[in-house]
Amino acid sequence: MAPPKLQLELQPKQQYSTPALDEQAGQLVSLVASPVPRLKHERHPLLSTSDYHGLVARCQQLERRVFPKAEAMDLCKELRKPNQYLFVVLQINDPGMLLLSYGVLAPSKVDCVARITKVCTDPLYRGLGAGEHLVRSMLAALGHSALDSALHPSATGRFASICGVGSLRMDIRDIQLHVDTRRDAAVRMYTRCGFRTKTTIPNYYAEGRDALLMSMSTAMT
């Protein structure tokens, strides 16, 4: 029997309103939304293939709402590149779903480095632990032994395991990301996940906006 179809209508940017998080709806789940997992058991049982494709559009909508035009990533273009994985954290309710957070992970077999090139949490859902669970799910997908179960206990204990990550296993020796030096909460979150500051890059984002290059050696796992 096919899973029930979930509603994925997108609202125009000027009419967008973020629904409230349903505290009674059970666990939040993190999963790989793109590329769509090929094996049925790797996909979430309530999501169809078209639901997975719709998630990319929903992430793009949030990207444009959160970031200025000069910094917004073209997710469709980015995800067409080899070894680009879109992770999401959702609350799934029948007949719909709530997108809390998403990120892009780019592991490379060439230099054995995995780069987290995007992490975004809807501003109305920040402080719930969704961003941290997203990052920890990426680490688990790379085979980080301490997080291999992808079950990170949050303040509410409502996070479920990740779906569709079997194809990400490869020889990765270092995991890297960049973060604005002024984003104190994000820096603390990455530090809790095990990242350490490697260097500061002046004017990385714009004139006067520096970035921290943070990294984690997989030798630590």
Side-chain angles (χ1 to χ4, degrees):
M1 183 176 180
K5 178 68 176 176
L6 299 182
Q7 297 175 355
L8 289 171
E9 289 92 350
L10 297 179
Q11 296 176 326
K13 183 176 180 181
Q14 63 271 21
Q15 298 178 8
Y16 186 89
S17 61
T18 303
L21 184 69
D22 185 353
E23 296 294 340
Q24 305 302 318
Q27 289 183 319
L28 308 177
V29 61
S30 60
L31 54 86
V32 177
S34 179
V36 177
R38 290 177 294 178
L39 300 178
K40 185 177 180 180
H41 74 270
E42 291 183 339
R43 299 193 295 268
H44 193 282
L46 289 181
L47 300 184
S48 66
T49 300
S50 61
D51 292 331
Y52 273 88
H53 290 304
L55 281 169
V56 178
R58 294 183 66 161
C59 292
Q60 186 67 74
Q61 184 184 55
L62 180 57
E63 176 81 6
R64 291 170 179 162
R65 185 160 58 89
V66 171
F67 295 96
K69 185 176 182 180
E71 296 180 19
M73 178 183 286
D74 185 337
L75 290 173
C76 290
K77 181 179 179 180
E78 197 70 19
L79 294 172
R80 283 196 292 267
K81 299 177 182 178
N83 295 322
Q84 301 284 327
Y85 297 89
L86 176 67
F87 283 69
V88 297
V89 173
L90 306 170
Q91 182 183 69
I92 300 178
N93 309 312
D94 191 5
M97 67 175 73
L98 192 60
L99 173 66
L100 277 72
S101 186
Y102 68 90
V104 177
L105 175 67
S108 172
K109 296 180 180 179
V110 177
D111 58 5
C112 299
V113 175
R115 295 171 176 86
I116 299 176
T117 59
K118 174 67 64 175
V119 171
C120 177
T121 299
D122 190 308
L124 293 183
Y125 302 132
R126 289 175 183 169
L128 300 175
E132 182 168 343
H133 183 66
L134 179 83
V135 173
R136 290 181 180 273
S137 297
M138 292 179 174
L139 299 179
L142 291 167
H144 192 299
S145 59
L147 299 165
D148 208 34
S149 66
L151 292 175
H152 168 60
S154 67
T156 58
R158 296 169 57 241
F159 286 113
S161 59
I162 53 180
C163 303
V165 298
S167 62
L168 272 69
R169 306 286 176 160
M170 60 179 68
D171 182 20
I172 295 297
R173 301 173 187 173
D174 197 39
I175 309 169
Q176 297 181 354
L177 58 85
H178 294 88
V179 59
D180 193 316
T181 55
R182 299 176 297 182
R183 294 184 58 201
D184 295 336
V187 173
R188 290 194 298 270
M189 181 266 284
Y190 294 134
T191 301
R192 286 196 302 272
C193 289
F195 288 89
R196 297 294 179 262
T197 299
K198 192 172 184 179
T199 189
T200 301
I201 305 175
N203 306 317
Y204 180 82
Y205 294 102
E207 185 68 29
R209 289 185 59 200
D210 303 341
L212 298 178
L213 172 60
M214 303 188 74
S215 68
M216 174 193 297
S217 171
T218 56
M220 296 168 56
T221 65

